[in-house]
Amino acid sequence: MKRVKRPELRLHGQKVRLKKKPVILAVSVLVLIVLLVSVSVHAASKKHTQKVSAGVAEETAAEEKLSEEETTTAEEETTQEATLPEVQTTTAAAPQTDGEGEYPGCKKVYLTFDDGPSPNTTKILDILDQYGVKATFFTICSPGEENEESLKRIVSSGNTLAIHSVSHEYSQVYASIDSFKEDVLGMQQWLYEQTGVTTWFYRFPGGSSNKVANCDISDCINFLNEQGFVYFDWNVSSGDASAKCVDKDTIVQNVLSEIGSREEYVVLMHDAGAKTTTVEALPEIIEYLQANDYMILPITANTKPVQHRHS
Ligand SMILES: [Zn+2]
């Protein structure tokens, strides 16, 4: 079990300790008071700066053309006002991995779906079952009976349940390192409440190379590493989020044109409510991969992560 470490009170890098001698004690108390006043002034000023920066980030997010093209998410039927569950410690420890990967020498494809669950998740799970393959779902907090059933089915069918975000709103998730932590742990907790499974797999909204974060992504990565999360980006983009509805053949072509002789491919796709053509494209993609001897696998603790950037 892990908890978020609480910061220690430090003065010029040293822990603040009260000593026994009265004079030193008095001086220490005085220094502490000055320090507290200075910290609260700084905090007030920082809060103002963050508000301003968050506004800028929102504008940047709207204009940014990311490969993941997350801006369509807001238009879809996700429940942005979902209440954030109170963060509690969950029951399972983070998995241990050597990061060396699995099935050495084999061509492996990891199909990943972001921004679900939605009614499309059910259809995708049906297709995966039909072809006898497993995938990974980086989910957002979207309550509702059918969505919650999909989460349970992801787990019971041997697919991999993973964390994307509670809100998927860049200005909220990346407003500060504390809001980032709250988003990640809140989503982990919500998924645990729905499925009884604690997942340690994570994907940054916009990817780890996003240019929309107000906080420092290095701090986010350090937090994930400390807690035991493993984050995955992608090295193949289906382009299914580059417009409201991308043509099915374009999605197939985007994926297959990127798949070659490398040992490992992590394919970015989306199972949000509007992504009906992704569902249509999936059988053709799987058939090509199976015909060309690629292993189609769910992400596990043994999977070598594809990451755009490191801390
Ligand atoms: Zn996303």
Side-chain angles (χ1 to χ4, degrees):
M1 274 201 279
K2 298 199 172 196
R3 292 173 186 273
V4 182
K5 286 178 185 172
R6 295 183 189 284
E8 294 166 328
L9 185 56
R10 286 172 177 270
L11 180 59
H12 301 303
Q14 300 298 314
K15 285 183 188 176
V16 175
R17 290 196 185 93
L18 298 180
K19 299 192 177 179
K20 288 178 183 173
K21 291 182 180 175
V23 175
I24 297 175
L25 180 64
V27 170
S28 301
V29 169
L30 187 62
V31 168
L32 190 60
I33 290 167
V34 170
L35 183 69
L36 287 173
V37 169
S38 146
V39 164
S40 37
V41 169
H42 177 67
S45 149
K46 195 174 176 188
K47 197 173 177 185
H48 175 70
T49 310
Q50 282 176 345
K51 274 187 179 170
V52 174
S53 306
V56 173
E58 272 177 10
E59 287 175 20
T60 312
E63 292 165 9
E64 194 78 27
K65 282 276 175 191
L66 291 169
S67 55
E68 193 179 0
E69 296 285 359
E70 301 287 351
T71 49
T72 54
T73 306
E75 298 161 20
E76 293 156 12
E77 295 169 15
T78 55
T79 312
Q80 305 295 354
E81 67 275 12
T83 48
L84 183 70
E86 201 167 305
V87 175
Q88 298 163 9
T89 49
T90 46
T91 52
Q96 298 299 310
T97 172
D98 58 12
E100 290 300 310
E102 53 200 344
Y103 306 107
C106 297
K107 298 182 295 182
K108 299 170 286 285
V109 176
Y110 300 88
L111 302 174
T112 68
F113 298 91
D114 289 12
D115 301 353
S118 80
N120 286 329
T121 311
T122 311
K123 295 172 189 166
I124 288 170
L125 286 167
D126 288 344
I127 294 169
L128 296 172
D129 280 353
Q130 188 187 330
Y131 287 93
V133 296
K134 312 288 182 203
T136 302
F137 294 82
F138 290 95
T139 56
I140 63 171
C141 187
S142 45
E145 197 174 333
E146 184 180 352
N147 288 346
E148 289 165 16
E149 280 306 311
S150 286
L151 295 175
K152 291 182 178 72
R153 187 175 161 196
I154 287 169
V155 169
S156 65
S157 57
N159 290 282
T160 296
L161 181 67
I163 298 164
H164 198 27
S165 175
V166 171
S167 70
H168 206 295
E169 290 290 325
Y170 295 141
S171 59
Q172 287 178 29
V173 177
Y174 297 125
S176 67
I177 184 63
D178 286 341
S179 59
F180 176 80
K181 291 175 182 178
E182 188 180 22
D183 187 72
V184 174
L185 296 178
M187 192 59 195
Q188 185 188 47
Q189 177 67 24
W190 187 72
L191 289 174
Y192 173 73
E193 288 166 4
Q194 304 310 313
T195 65
V197 167
T198 303
T199 178
W200 297 92
F201 303 115
Y202 177 74
R203 174 168 285 157
F204 285 91
S208 69
S209 54
N210 79 76
K211 302 281 192 297
V212 296
N214 190 48
C215 58
D216 189 337
I217 289 292
S218 296
D219 293 340
C220 301
I221 292 172
N222 288 339
F223 166 73
L224 295 173
N225 291 339
E226 284 164 14
Q227 294 289 303
F229 291 97
V230 182
Y231 69 95
F232 284 78
D233 289 307
W234 57 92
N235 53 14
V236 176
S237 175
S238 68
D240 65 351
S242 59
K244 180 85 179 171
C245 196
V246 177
D247 178 67
K248 182 261 280 184
D249 291 335
T250 306
I251 295 173
V252 172
Q253 188 56 32
N254 284 345
V255 174
L256 301 190
S257 65
E258 293 290 320
I259 302 278
S261 57
R262 288 168 68 164
E263 263 200 39
E264 187 183 71
Y265 294 94
V266 176
V267 181
L268 173 67
M269 294 187 279
H270 294 81
D271 62 332
K275 302 301 167 194
T276 53
T277 51
T278 304
V279 178
E280 293 167 16
L282 187 57
E284 217 169 306
I285 292 169
I286 293 174
E287 284 168 23
Y288 173 89
L289 295 173
Q290 290 186 326
N292 288 277
D293 300 326
Y294 290 91
M295 298 176 80
I296 301 175
L297 299 168
I299 285 171
T300 70
N302 296 321
T303 307
K304 192 174 182 180
V306 166
Q307 297 173 336
H308 294 162
R309 59 166 284 185
H310 304 267
S311 56

